[in-house]
Amino acid sequence: MGSTIEIKKTFELRSERVKSIDLHPTTPWVLLGMHSGSVCIWNHHSQVTEKTFEIANTRVRSAIFIASKEWIVIGADDGFIRVYNYNTMENIIEFKAHSDFVRSLIAHPSKSYLLSASDDKHIKLWDWDKDWECTKTFEGHEHYVMQLAFNPRDTNVFASVSLDHTIKFWDLGSMDLRSSINGHTEGLNSVDFFKDEGKFYVLTGSDDHTAKVWDYESMTCVKTLEGHTHNVTSFQCVKLNSSFIFTGSEDQTVRVWNAKTYKLDHVFTSELGRVWTIGFIEDSSKIILGCDEGLIVGQVTY
């Protein structure tokens, strides 16, 4: 049986290494965090770079939109968080947030909260309505904290993954750890929640070259996605006529898995080196890959 899904490259933008991608919720903007230290807003309709923010002589690993405030928020290797108005390009604030690299930033969907994760092993909660006060620090990881994700069903809960091999779940209401899973045989790079046919899952990607699908209720692994030949760095859960899981890797491929059968459906090979981050534009079924040598846009057909 042949593939039911395919990715065809439609555009590439050669640049410095792209380490993070975030999509604006209402405009055709893609926020690119670059290994060189700059952050760009790229328009996926016009395929033009509209704005560039030169941050510092430091690498950027995470940059996100906070559209309700017209902000971009940037985490960098110097431990600083920087906030800019994306219309005026004004620097709103910058502050030393961590004593090591900032790996991941996520904004709460309804509250004035930003979570940051770092190589200093800490996760911090910042309240921008309280002049960016750090109101909580979550401690418990024993190695670099690589990525964070809010639970969309209960946004008081978030997940974190670390090179200490664990997935941890935390409650914003306290600093206590809710649960921890020793998830992989090597460090974890990525985590997200997804729903399929009413069931709720957590997805993790690891340096053991696999991604795992976890039943959120029982916290048991329901499937290990095997096939990558290097670290799994990123993924996207995509709903077309069926649900699919896209996994990106340092082996320069994106693999597409059927989310019901977990069968490998398609392999796309990057011509721009390792794949670090993946974005998906739902209304046009376009996938955007951040790679060693720039950006790839692909059309997903089903």
Side-chain angles (χ1 to χ4, degrees):
M1 180 178 172
S3 296
T4 58
I5 197 168
E6 191 173 4
I7 302 170
K8 290 185 177 179
K9 186 176 80 169
T10 58
F11 181 81
E12 70 175 40
L13 175 69
R14 290 191 174 261
S15 69
E16 293 292 326
R17 183 181 304 169
V18 178
K19 291 292 287 185
S20 75
I21 287 173
D22 193 36
L23 305 179
H24 193 281
T26 57
T27 63
W29 284 354
V30 184
L31 187 64
L32 308 177
M34 317 289 275
H35 205 248
S36 61
S38 63
V39 174
C40 301
I41 294 177
W42 181 74
N43 187 312
H44 65 79
H45 281 177
S46 65
Q47 299 181 341
V48 169
T49 299
E50 296 198 359
K51 299 172 192 277
T52 300
F53 301 78
E54 296 295 342
I55 305 309
N57 187 24
T58 185
R59 295 166 180 167
V60 171
R61 297 179 191 271
S62 185
I64 62 172
F65 286 112
I66 300 181
S68 62
K69 305 294 287 185
E70 300 183 346
W71 288 344
I72 60 170
V73 184
I74 300 156
D77 282 7
D78 60 3
F80 274 76
I81 290 174
R82 294 171 173 86
V83 184
Y84 292 83
N85 181 297
Y86 56 64
N87 289 321
T88 66
M89 298 183 72
E90 175 193 359
N91 183 201
I92 304 298
I93 192 172
E94 57 182 67
F95 55 92
K96 182 76 169 180
H98 291 273
S99 61
D100 211 331
F101 299 176
V102 179
R103 291 277 179 179
S104 180
L105 300 171
I106 54 170
H108 193 279
S110 59
K111 296 178 180 176
S112 57
Y113 296 163
L114 179 83
L115 281 171
S116 60
S118 170
D119 284 6
D120 66 11
K121 308 175 189 176
H122 294 159
I123 302 161
K124 294 186 178 183
L125 177 65
W126 310 89
D127 189 336
W128 62 76
D129 279 351
K130 295 182 177 177
D131 294 322
W132 290 94
E133 178 188 349
C134 179
T135 57
K136 287 177 181 170
T137 300
F138 301 87
E139 300 181 65
H141 280 298
E142 297 176 358
H143 209 312
Y144 305 160
V145 187
M146 299 297 284
Q147 197 170 63
L148 307 169
F150 277 114
N151 179 342
R153 281 188 174 175
D154 179 0
T155 53
N156 285 318
V157 175
F158 69 92
S160 61
V161 292
S162 166
L163 296 190
D164 66 10
H165 303 190
T166 67
I167 322 157
K168 296 187 187 298
F169 298 90
W170 312 82
D171 196 312
L172 290 180
S174 71
M175 288 175 285
D176 296 333
L177 184 64
R178 285 174 60 118
S179 59
S180 180
I181 303 170
N182 198 323
H184 290 259
T185 59
E186 297 290 342
L188 280 76
N189 299 309
S190 45
V191 62
D192 206 358
F193 295 82
F194 77 100
K195 183 176 76 170
D196 188 49
E197 294 187 342
K199 292 209 70 174
F200 204 45
Y201 301 95
V202 177
L203 189 61
T204 55
S206 170
D207 287 349
D208 66 10
H209 305 177
T210 72
K212 288 180 183 282
V213 182
W214 304 84
D215 182 300
Y216 182 67
E217 302 303 324
S218 64
M219 293 294 174
T220 56
C221 178
V222 297
K223 190 64 179 180
T224 300
L225 305 179
E226 298 178 283
H228 282 294
T229 58
H230 213 305
N231 305 341
V232 178
T233 57
S234 53
F235 39 68
Q236 276 286 324
C237 301
V238 172
K239 183 74 173 177
L240 300 167
N241 289 357
S242 296
S243 294
F244 295 91
I245 299 166
F246 291 61
T247 55
S249 169
E250 290 185 48
D251 67 11
Q252 304 186 28
T253 70
V254 173
R255 291 175 180 258
V256 184
W257 315 80
N258 185 299
K260 293 181 178 60
T261 65
Y262 303 116
K263 300 284 190 187
L264 178 65
D265 199 84
H266 179 67
V267 179
F268 174 85
T269 301
S270 158
E271 297 170 359
L272 298 185
R274 294 171 292 182
V275 178
W276 295 106
T277 181
I278 302 174
F280 183 72
I281 304 167
E282 290 189 17
D283 60 1
S284 60
S285 296
K286 287 180 181 173
I287 191 167
I288 302 179
L289 310 178
C291 305
D292 272 339
E293 298 172 35
L295 192 74
I296 295 174
V297 181
Q299 184 65 49
V300 179
T301 57
Y302 178 80

